[in-house]
Structure formats: structure tokens, C-alpha cells
Amino acid sequence: MITASESQRVPVRHDWRLLPGALLVWAAGLLGLLVHWSLALALGAVAVLAGGWLVRSGRRAWALVIAGVLAGWPVTTAVHDAATHPLRELAARQGVHRLDLVVAERPRPVRSAGFGATPTGARSVVVPADTVSDDPELAGARVLVLAPVRQWQQILPGQHVTAHGVLAPAESGGMTVAVLRVRGPPVAVGAAPAWQRVAGDLRVGLREAAGVLDPEPAGLLPALVVGDTDGLSAVVDEEFRVAGMTHLLAVSGSNLAIVCVAVLFLLRALGRGPKAAATGALAALVGFVVLVGPEPSVLRAGVMGAVGLLALALGRERSAIPALAATILLLVTLDPGLAVAPGFALSVLATAALVLLAPRWVEAMRARRVPRVVAEALAVPAAAHLATAPVVAGLSGQVSLVAVAANLVAAPVVAPATVLGVLATVVAPVSPWVAGWLARAAGPEVDWLIAVARWAADVPGAAVDWPGGWWGGALALGVLGVLVFALRRRGSVIAVGFVAVVLVAVPVRVLAPGWPPAGWAVVACDVGQGDALVLATAGEGRAVVVDAGPEAAPVDGCLDRLGVDRVPLVVLSHLHADHVGGLAGVLAGRAVGGIAVGAGRAPAWAWDQVRAEARAAGVPLVRLVPGQVLRWPGLDIEVLTPQRQETGRSPDGTEINNRSVVLRAATRAGRVLLTGDVELGAQAGLLTSGVDLRAEVVKVPHHGSAYTSPEFLGAIGARVALVSVGAGNRYGHPSSRTLGVLARSRVLVARTDQGGDTAVVSEGGGPAVVVRGGARSPP
């Protein structure tokens, strides 16, 4: 309720007339793509009939009639053509084809976890493109090209390319009719449009200018400014996701608003009038859209910004809702695929929240004598987060409990960092030196964003699980709707966002016991198809890490959940990607005493990567030798093997596995044998060496592969077997043969693909297993 002191403030009266039609066209595209194209036609016909009846009754419903026509003709036609395109039949046969294409968007890297000698990282790109053909029936179809990253990453929007590959069916529910899997470079490449070449050079210039910063901020600055995430650290990417700050990594309305406001302010400061300032800002908007590329959220923001600037030039500044509705109507009509694009939905919802919810919340807090600056700082992130929470929950399967606070703390530096980054981008072709100093000026702001995301992600329970998919999003929307209805008459309206998220998330979290379990001795982290073991010491927050998994984010998250912030030693059993690929995740934000390796130095790329990451983090490398004993309070580790390095310049995978460091640790839950990926040869060597292999817990070699000797397992005599393995992996791990040997020996088998993070604790004088979100299982 607004107090008398604010009675002079006139409430904004929004123009809603265009919004129903816009939502109808959006619904037509959504139903036509997800269910059947005939539903789009039916919805359009109903709208035309209903609108016509209302017009005859003397009501102003022409917008509904026009929306019905658009839904029944261009939208339905486009959806029908995509659903019945001849390429779909060709794709179903999965034959080899040669297609002429025009690239629609910038190539998007596809990151994949490494395994064995194959490194972690982006090995492929996805390139949206449209077919070009003299045959009208084959022309204009949207195709996704899946191609090698090195040979396709420099392709620009607007380029004509000829590609040769296997045509496969596309997923349903979109405008894409087929996927072309290409193994080599394009057969032929045409020249890109001049403006796209300039935009590409500008993006490269920003990456080079950002190179003066440390690796993490150097990768974040281009992502923040132009949505270029190629150099973004996987750890930072994951921390932004958990903290609810991922929207900063995708160019959206906020980026365009910052650029346009900066240009408007500059032109008005130079004495230009509203029309001249709006024209200048419009030119900056168009240039920025070309720079970052035609992504769904960018298109939405660009069209809405253009409409808003036009309204400003015409003296109608309060036209936000008509501008948003016109944007939806125009873009979905031109490209019905946007109706099912998550980025488009997030952008529209966030904009609607800032227009409809945030001002009301600001006035409600002002009525309670909250300063306007504080009220706006609270209301804007809360409104945006509340409006987008159902979509985010459905997409990610998580709800962030720290997003509002994290975005509130991060907000003050976003605009300066963006403006400085844009200036560096523009200046780079003329003066790389000046661009570098502009990037340096943006460095503290980018460092602050990383620190905020890291702090927020490290908060216990920062993000909690939630059902994913459409039903998960609908459930979150329903719960939020009920809470808003129930709370609108009680307390401050601004509390709704925070209370809603908490009340949605807490019931999900309390179903599971606390993690980590008290007195844990060893944890097998769920890092997918790879190894990452954590051994507790007597010091709180201090643990030894053995192997780091294939990617940085999973092991970083596991250590965060365990509360480990000090790692006296990281042991890399051998240099295969599924054991060293995540090393950066262990090093991120933690005090690490050293990185220990055995005799192996192959593959060479992995050894070079480990040395580079150790050098960048200022962490020394340590060589382990058999017979060495490492001691910390509450933990002793004995090194059993290997003695010798691999033979030859290019040893095969088996030889590298057999040079794994094998350790036996004395923990509070008993002895633990850590076997790396040793196969039959190394196992036989251990058996004949006379080394004492007995242990209560064994980390089964090589993810439970078939190359595990029953005699080796028998000599260990373990009561608990940990199998670190990825769900649905293509290697057949764990082997039914190995599992059978363990079952016949009555060994309790705990698999990370089934139980997630798996802890061993001491119970009744022996080891017991606790899986994250599960119950104790004594052997």
C-alpha cells in the first residue's frame, strides 16, 4: 500500500491489448511443434472466429483476429513444412549425403568427458544451418551439422558451405529436420558477409585483449560481453550455474540495455535530443546484435529494444508491455522454433517480471521506508529469479537457494565490466595495447563476479535437486502460484520470491539425510566415467585426493559437498584423461600442498597439461616411489607400485594402466587399497612381489573391467568394494564377471553410477557404506 507521502506518484497503466494475441501465437507454435501441426491451425481458426465475433459485438479485438491469422497461416505452414519435409525421410534411412547449406548461427562447442588417451574438452561443434537447393522441396530446411571442432569452429553465420556426412533423424519437438554428422572439413566454403567477418574479427580481438588477465577471468570476460564461452573454465561455468548466475554468461536484454543506456547517456551528455540519442542507441543495438550473433534471447532483446527505442523517439516511453508483445508476435511468426527455445522463454519471462513485478515490489518497500536504491537492488534480481525459476528448475533439475543474494551482490559490477569489455572489443582492431588496458580495467569486476559465484556455490545446500523436464517446470510453476496466492495478503510482497524458493526446495532436501556422513573415512566421488577418491585426515576440511576424474566441475562439487578446502596432496595414479582431466577442479579455490605422480609420463599431452596446471596454480610436482610412506594425522598412505616408467615413446593404453600408482591407506574405517587402473599384468606382478595387499576396502581396478583377476581380489580380502564408474558408459563397465567374483566372495559392492557419491564410514569395528541421499549398508 502506498503512503500519503507518495500519493503524487501516478501508477503506470499498461496497454494489454496486444499481449493475448502474442501469447496465442506463441501457444500455436508451442503446441504445433510439441504435439501436432494441426493444433496450431485449430488454435488460429478459433482465435479468428472469436475475434470476429467480438469485433461484430463492437469490441476492439482486431489484434486477436490478426494473431489468429498469423497462427493459422505462417506459423502453421512453417511447422507443417518442418514436420513433413522430405529430408526427414532421407534422415530416417541414415545414409551418406552431400548438402549445400547456409550457416544460421555461430558454431557451438560440444564439451565431452575424456577417457583413456582422449582428452577432455570440446571435440565437436554444432552448427545450425539451412539447406540451399534448386529443388524448392529440399530448400530452406533447418539442419544441425555435428562436425569436428578444429575444422569448423571458424565458420561464420551467413557463409555458404557444402558438407558431406551421414544424415540422421533430429529430435522431435523443434524446427530442425535432420542432423548431418560430418567427420572432416567442409567440402566447399563460400565467403562470409562482410559484417560477419568484422564481427568475427572483433570477437577474436576481445579474446586476445582478455588474454592479459589470469586464465579464469580471461575466459569469463568474453562470455560476459558477447556470450563467447569457448575459453570459459568448466569450474567457473559450474559455479555460475549453482549460484544462479548463468544468465550472465548468455547475452540477453541486460547486455543490450547496458550498451544502449551507455550510448543514450553519452549522447544526451553531448547535448543531443531524445530522437538523436534514440537513433544513436538503435545503431549501437543493431551493431551489438550482429557482434554477438542471432541467438534466441538476443533476437528477443534486440527487437524489443528497437521497439522501445522507437517508443522513446516518439515520446511513448511507457510502452514496455506492447513492445514485449510485439516482439513475441514478430519473432515467433518469423521463426516458430523460438516457441520451444528455453533461452527465448527465459528472456521473455525475465523482461515481464522486471516490467510487472519489480516496480510494484519497489513501491511496496518504499511504503515501508526502504530507500529506493536498496528497494530496486532487491526487487530486480528477486523478480527475475522468481519469474524464471520454473523454467530453470525444469531445465537444470535444480533450484538455487542463493541466486537472489548472489545476483544482488554481483549486480553493481556487471555494467562496468560489460561497458569496458565492449570498448575493448571495438578498440582491439585499432589499438590492441589500449584494448589490453581496457581489459585490465575490467579485471577487478570480473574477479569479483568469480568470487561471488564461488562463494555462493560453496554455501551448503546452495542448489537442491528438483524434478526436471516439462513436468518439473510445471510443478514449480504450480507451487509458486499457490504460494503467491497464499502470501499476497500477508507480509511484504518482496518476501514472496525468497520464501517461495525456500519452501519449494526444503521439502525436497529434507527427504535425504545430511551429507557428508559423520566420521567418513573415504569417499568415491561420482564424477562419471572416471576416478576421484577423497581420503579424510583428522583435520577438519583437510583431505588427500587420489585422481580427479575426467572433468573439473564434478570433482569440485564433490569436494565442496564434503567441505574440503585444504588438500595436502593430490595423487594422480596415471595420466589417462578420466583420472587427470578434472585436476583444475581440485585446485580451484583450495590450498593444495602438492601434486604427486608415479613413474608414468604418458600420454605426453596429459603430462604437459598436468605440469601447466600445476605451474599456473603454484603447486609443486612430487614423484612417488614404491615403499614411500606418507603420513598425516589420522591418515597413513603407503606407495606399493610402480617402479618403472612406460617403455617406448608411445605406450598403449594397457601399459599406461599397468603403471598406475597403487596405494594402501590406513584410515579410521580400516585399510583401503587404491588400485588405479591396473590390469592383469600389474595385478600378477603385485601378487608375486610379496607385497601385503590385505585391506578392508578396495577401489576395484579400472572401473570394474573384466581385466581383473579373481586371485587378485581374493588376496585383498576386502569387505567393501568401491566401483567408480559412469552410468550407461559405452565400455561395458563394470563387468558382470568381476561383479560375480565379488558377489561370490560376499563383498559389498558400492557403485557410483547407482548411488552417486559413496562414503565409507566406521561402524561396529568395520567399514560401512553411505551413499549420498541413501542409507547405511553394512557389509
Side-chain angles (χ1 to χ4, degrees), residues 207-506:
R207 285 198 296 269
E208 293 176 349
V212 301
L213 304 174
D214 291 336
E216 286 188 339
L220 178 58
L221 184 60
L224 181 70
V225 177
V226 296
D228 181 358
T229 59
D230 290 1
L232 185 66
S233 160
V235 175
V236 173
D237 190 16
E238 176 67 10
E239 288 168 342
F240 269 63
R241 185 187 66 81
V242 174
M245 296 167 59
T246 305
H247 62 93
L248 297 177
L249 306 179
V251 176
S252 62
S254 60
N255 301 74
L256 287 169
I258 290 169
V259 172
C260 290
V261 167
V263 174
L264 282 170
F265 178 80
L266 177 62
L267 292 177
R268 292 304 294 268
L270 294 175
R272 303 298 181 184
K275 292 185 179 180
T279 302
L282 180 61
L285 182 149
V286 173
F288 192 73
V289 169
V290 172
L291 173 65
V292 301
E295 302 294 330
S297 59
V298 177
L299 288 174
R300 193 280 314 160
V303 175
M304 183 173 175
V307 174
L309 290 170
L310 179 62
L312 175 63
L314 297 177
R316 299 187 61 185
E317 294 89 343
R318 297 181 178 181
S319 302
I321 292 300
L324 179 60
T327 300
I328 297 170
L329 197 66
L330 176 62
L331 291 181
V332 176
T333 299
L334 293 176
D335 183 5
L338 292 176
V340 294
F344 183 76
L346 288 170
S347 186
V348 170
L349 290 173
T351 302
L354 298 183
V355 172
L356 299 176
L357 294 181
R360 295 185 180 185
W361 292 0
V362 168
E363 295 307 324
M365 286 188 285
R366 290 285 292 124
R368 290 162 175 80
R369 300 181 180 179
V370 177
R372 177 167 293 278
V373 174
V374 176
E376 290 178 348
L378 290 171
V380 168
H385 181 63
L386 179 64
T388 57
V391 178
V392 173
L395 288 173
S396 65
Q398 285 189 333
V399 173
S400 175
L401 301 184
V402 297
V404 174
N407 282 282
L408 174 63
V409 177
V413 303
V414 173
T418 302
V419 171
L420 288 168
V422 171
L423 289 175
T425 304
V426 175
V427 170
V430 179
S431 176
W433 180 80
V434 174
W437 278 105
L438 289 168
R440 283 190 177 92
E445 293 91 328
V446 178
D447 287 337
W448 176 252
L449 291 175
I450 293 173
V452 170
R454 187 154 291 161
W455 163 80
D458 287 345
V459 172
V464 294
D465 294 337
W466 183 260
W470 287 98
W471 288 111
L475 177 61
L477 179 62
V479 172
L480 288 175
V482 171
L483 287 169
V484 170
F485 178 79
L487 297 173
R488 65 182 302 180
R489 296 183 180 180
R490 296 182 181 181
S492 174
V493 181
I494 192 61
V496 172
F498 177 77
V499 173
V501 174
V502 171
L503 293 182
V504 166
V506 168

Side-chain angles (χ1 to χ4, degrees), residues 97 127 132 151 162 168 172 176 221 248 254 342 359 378 518 521 545 569 627 648 696 713 741 770:
H97 293 272
V127 186
V132 178
Q151 297 158 322
T162 301
S172 60
T176 303
L221 184 60
L248 297 177
S254 60
L378 290 171
V545 177
L569 191 67
E696 285 70 40
L713 294 175
V741 170
V770 183

